[in-house]
Amino acid sequence: NAGVTQTPKFQVLKTGQSMTLQCAQDMNHNSMYWYRQDPGMGLRLIYYSASEGTTDKGEVPNGYNVSRLNKREFSLRLESAAPSQTSVYFCASRGQVSTGELFFGEGSRLTVL
Amino acid sequence: GIQVEQSPPDLILQEGANSTLRCNFSDSVNNLQWFHQNPWGQLINLFYIPSGTKQNGRLSATTVATERYSLLYMSSSQTTDSGVYFCAVELHNDMRFGAGTRLTVKP
């Protein structure tokens, strides 16, 4: 079982560059999430998608865009990366929004120089 | 948003010891989960426990929703239990994580 798969695992960008983090889940979950984790802190929600075709802002959405491509895939895009976006990014999914266990991918470490 | 406080922030144990981690939250919630983040950064589900008590091997958890806290009990700790333990609470799609408890189990 692959569960939640994120790519790439590591990425280094220069300030102003753009990139997309990809996430796919094979658990037939409706809801998908993007979080960031900074040193010494818990995870903070960037965006989520309650179901295919919908997306909503979380706690820290500025500087990011998302696309729910289909039921399986949810991507996170940085249009113009800034050093403040250096972080570890986690994708997660669960069966339904606001209920049930959340399952995480292995994380993507992004460094913006 | 909901405030989540975890205690203690750091805990060092000798292998075989027992421990209790606490999660306090500031508002009523409809979901609560405990996670273990291992030294490689992977987040592992421990319990989905919006209320009541659950047990899984050496771990058990209790959430008293009316008093706004949850406890994670660990017995006979092992070095592989090291890592950071997070509590996450949710109300109406707003899920907030605590800052975590960093556990180090020494052989």
Side-chain angles (χ1 to χ4, degrees), chain A residues 37 94 97-98 100-102, chain B residues 31 33 37 45 48 90 93:
Chain A
Q37 184 179 27
R94 62 181 173 184
V97 68
S98 201
E101 288 183 78
L102 201 59
Chain B
N31 283 323
Q33 275 188 257
Q37 188 168 39
N45 290 3
Y48 171 70
E90 181 178 19
N93 303 330

Side-chain angles (χ1 to χ4, degrees), chain A residues 104, chain B residues 21 33-47 58-59 72 74 78-87 97 101-105:
Chain A
F104 281 91
Chain B
L21 309 183
Q33 275 188 257
W34 284 96
F35 296 91
H36 174 216
Q37 188 168 39
N38 65 23
W40 295 270
Q42 188 177 10
L43 284 156
I44 300 162
N45 290 3
L46 296 177
F47 293 102
R58 295 182 295 106
L59 294 177
L72 179 68
M74 181 184 303
Q78 301 174 358
T79 56
T80 52
D81 295 329
S82 295
V84 183
Y85 289 79
F86 289 106
C87 163
F97 281 73
T101 292
R102 182 172 297 277
L103 175 65
T104 303
V105 181

Side-chain angles (χ1 to χ4, degrees), chain A residues 81-109:
Chain A
S84 61
Q85 294 178 304
T86 294
S87 190
V88 180
Y89 291 85
F90 287 93
C91 178
S93 71
R94 62 181 173 184
Q96 299 292 339
V97 68
S98 201
T99 186
E101 288 183 78
L102 201 59
F103 294 90
F104 281 91
E106 294 186 347
S108 299
R109 185 175 294 276

Side-chain angles (χ1 to χ4, degrees), chain A residues 4-9 19-25 32 34 67 69 72-77 89-91 107-108:
Chain A
V4 180
T5 303
Q6 296 180 228
T7 56
K9 297 286 191 292
M19 77 157 298
T20 300
L21 297 174
Q22 306 285 356
C23 175
Q25 52 88 12
M32 298 184 72
W34 277 106
S67 295
L69 304 170
R72 289 187 64 247
E73 298 172 290
F74 188 39
S75 63
L76 178 72
R77 182 160 179 85
Y89 291 85
F90 287 93
C91 178
S108 299

Side-chain angles (χ1 to χ4, degrees), chain A residues 6-106:
Chain A
Q6 296 180 228
T7 56
K9 297 286 191 292
F10 301 93
Q11 184 74 49
V12 179
L13 293 176
K14 294 181 179 178
T15 296
Q17 287 184 317
S18 62
M19 77 157 298
T20 300
L21 297 174
Q22 306 285 356
C23 175
Q25 52 88 12
D26 63 1
M27 296 176 282
N28 200 34
H29 284 168
N30 287 311
S31 302
M32 298 184 72
Y33 304 78
W34 277 106
Y35 287 87
R36 61 177 287 173
Q37 184 179 27
D38 299 303
M41 298 179 67
L43 281 73
R44 292 183 293 169
L45 182 63
I46 305 171
Y47 271 93
Y48 70 97
S49 170
S51 60
E52 188 178 353
T54 69
T55 61
D56 284 286
K57 295 179 180 179
E59 186 182 356
V60 289
N62 291 345
Y64 305 95
N65 287 303
V66 290
S67 295
R68 183 73 182 267
L69 304 170
N70 48 56
K71 190 172 185 177
R72 289 187 64 247
E73 298 172 290
F74 188 39
S75 63
L76 178 72
R77 182 160 179 85
L78 286 71
E79 290 291 352
S80 179
S84 61
Q85 294 178 304
T86 294
S87 190
V88 180
Y89 291 85
F90 287 93
C91 178
S93 71
R94 62 181 173 184
Q96 299 292 339
V97 68
S98 201
T99 186
E101 288 183 78
L102 201 59
F103 294 90
F104 281 91
E106 294 186 347

Side-chain angles (χ1 to χ4, degrees), chain B residues 3 5 13 16 26 30 32-33 36 42 50 55 57 61 70 72-73 79 84 89 101 103 105:
Chain B
Q3 304 300 311
E5 292 184 3
L13 298 175
S26 61
N30 52 294
L32 189 146
Q33 275 188 257
H36 174 216
Q42 188 177 10
Q55 180 155 6
S70 183
L72 179 68
Y73 304 96
T79 56
V84 183
V89 302
T101 292
L103 175 65
V105 181

